[in-house]
Amino acid sequence: MVDVSWSLRCVDCGAAWGGLDVRYRCDCGGTLDVIHDLEALKGLPLMQTFDERRASRDRLDRSGVWRFRELVLPLDQAFVTTRPEGNTGLYDSPRVASFAGLASFPLKHEGENPTGSFKDRGMTVGISIARRLGMTRVACASTGNTSASMAAYAAMAGMEAFVFIPDGAVAAGKLSQALAYGARTLMIAGDFDVAMDRVQEVCRLEGIYLLNSINPYRIEGQKAIAFELLQDLGWQVPDWIVLPGGNLGNSSAIAKGLGELRQMGLIPRMPRLAVIQAEGASPLYEAVRDGCDLVPFPKASTIATAIRIGNPVSWRKCLRGLVASGGVVERVTDAEILDAKAVVDASGIGAEPASCATVAGARKLVKAGVIGHDETVCGILTGHVLKDADTAAGYHMGTLSGIDAQRANPPVRVSADIDALRAALSR
Ligand code: F0G
């Protein structure tokens, strides 16, 4: 007897599965959605409740995920592991807006989550459902942020964590977190797509709980980015939300959350999603451009290692969200990402490279006339600037191969002599 109010449903064939089944795919191979009883919630003053919880000191109310628990996962709170997540800043920098060609361009900085990326929003739900299911061992493949987040939350929940990462392709700020939080870290001879393939097989053979965003509960937590963004905006719906795309879990999540708000009549329309990929890792861009199924990139490549993914697991869910929201996919070069990052960083906000695909992509879409100058546009910054300090330093010090750093701010080597120091103050 299932004692929960939600169930699972296949995205491809619609087959229904139990809310406490340990499965990540349907028998047909399709990925799964968590289905909530939205009818039972209709008529409740949810937005008022969510707003009231912002002033509460309750452990769950203080989380920018569990504050929205009716729409995320109505789980018995005894199982919830929370830091708390969310409550991230929304920054509207005139410098960033003007770079993108917009009058205003508020950026929600998900790098302000407990482990420095948006992944914590999905992970609090993933680890909490793992506890509900009685799991003691969890695993993920990762380009770095998921592993950092899972390692931390698993440690807090007293679970054993196994991290599968591509050897040599994870930024030091993320690898060091996985190690420091105590995860058993397997550096695999292969890229993220190989690690993703292998972790699914090992989890199946070993009965370890898989916490990649193929796990539908991770998606439920990540929906809260959209909920909190709208709450920040006084529940006014922007015309666009722009965000980077890698494995495409986050864009799927945000689209699902917004779709549910729309379905319940809590918002009058969905914002359009603009998903931005790095050129060397842009299989979704090509699928949409060519109007066909996704063809994986066998050798994904970009300096934004977080989104160096050639075979995104959640592409069908993401595509569904793009269609529902009238969204678009764009792609940007590494040089465009790094120049946008230089602007985001110099505005005092700062974010890791993949995050700044958001700003580079918005600029490109505004230039192309897809996004209008006068439209309301919000962006998501997904990770903290210190996640990938090497790329930031390399950009400014001119040591990144193949990158002509247009906005470099190189350090000045100078003797400790006062006159020399004074002379060095002017650029
Ligand atoms: N931005 C950052 C900083 C990320 O770490 C990721 C994904 C994305 C964007 C893309 O999100 O995969 O949901 O489309 N990082 C994963 C990881 C793959 O392992 O940390 P997505």
Side-chain angles (χ1 to χ4, degrees), residues 84-416:
E85 311 64 38
N87 305 309
T88 57
L90 185 65
Y91 302 102
D92 192 2
S93 153
R95 192 193 292 214
V96 175
S98 125
F99 176 77
L102 293 163
S104 151
F105 187 19
L107 298 173
K108 184 124 180 97
H109 203 334
E110 291 294 301
E112 294 175 354
N113 273 288
T115 75
S117 84
F118 72 98
K119 302 291 182 181
D120 295 336
R121 291 190 188 256
M123 202 55 71
T124 180
V125 179
I127 286 286
S128 300
I129 191 77
R131 288 177 62 188
R132 173 65 183 84
L133 295 170
M135 296 291 163
T136 56
R137 302 195 299 165
V138 292
C140 69
S142 182
T143 56
N145 282 322
T146 300
S147 60
S149 183
M150 192 192 76
Y153 280 81
M156 279 188 292
M159 291 179 190
E160 210 177 342
F162 302 93
V163 158
F164 289 44
I165 56 171
D167 195 357
V170 169
K174 308 172 187 182
L175 172 61
S176 56
Q177 284 180 292
L179 299 174
Y181 292 131
R184 179 134 184 94
T185 302
L186 311 182
M187 296 173 63
I188 296 181
D191 60 13
F192 170 83
D193 298 302
V194 171
M196 187 66 230
D197 178 72
R198 301 301 187 273
V199 76
Q200 294 181 68
E201 183 65 2
V202 171
C203 281
R204 191 181 64 79
L205 294 170
E206 291 280 334
I208 299 172
Y209 195 55
L210 179 62
L211 279 178
N212 276 100
S213 57
I214 192 176
N215 182 313
Y217 296 100
R218 284 273 318 280
I219 300 288
E220 292 311 291
Q222 283 172 209
K223 292 188 317 192
I225 299 176
F227 299 156
E228 195 178 280
L229 172 63
L230 289 190
Q231 186 171 39
D232 291 340
L233 298 171
W235 302 107
Q236 297 298 305
V237 180
D239 294 318
W240 291 91
I241 296 178
V242 189
L243 76 165
N247 217 11
L248 303 174
N250 204 29
S251 39
S252 301
I254 288 176
K256 182 173 189 281
L258 292 167
E260 287 165 350
L261 292 183
R262 171 81 193 85
Q263 201 184 325
M264 296 180 69
L266 292 172
I267 55 173
R269 62 185 167 84
M270 275 177 83
R272 300 176 70 183
L273 291 191
V275 176
I276 316 298
Q277 297 203 292
E279 201 167 84
S282 53
L284 181 72
Y285 171 88
E286 295 198 347
V288 169
R289 182 196 61 193
D290 301 341
C292 61
D293 277 6
L294 183 135
V295 180
F297 276 31
K299 289 250 172 296
S301 98
T302 164
I303 198 160
T305 50
I307 51 174
R308 190 186 285 170
I309 295 173
N311 190 13
V313 163
S314 295
W315 73 269
R316 278 191 196 279
K317 278 188 186 175
C318 174
L319 200 56
R320 176 186 66 180
L322 286 173
V323 170
S325 81
V328 299
V329 191
E330 184 52 276
R331 64 177 176 187
V332 291
T333 65
D334 282 0
E336 288 169 327
I337 289 174
L338 291 179
D339 284 337
K341 174 172 158 56
V343 174
V344 171
D345 292 354
S347 73
I349 299 170
E352 70 163 285
S355 304
C356 299
T358 290
V359 174
R363 175 181 162 95
K364 200 165 171 185
L365 289 167
V366 170
K367 265 200 183 138
V370 176
I371 295 180
H373 294 279
D374 52 348
E375 290 190 282
T376 50
V377 187
C378 294
I380 312 292
L381 298 177
T382 44
H384 196 280
V385 66
L386 290 178
K387 286 281 195 171
D388 188 353
D390 289 341
T391 299
Y395 178 88
H396 293 290
M397 295 170 81
T399 56
L400 298 181
S401 76
I403 297 294
D404 173 22
Q406 292 292 321
R407 294 163 192 268
N409 174 33
V412 185
R413 283 229 156 70
V414 60
S415 76

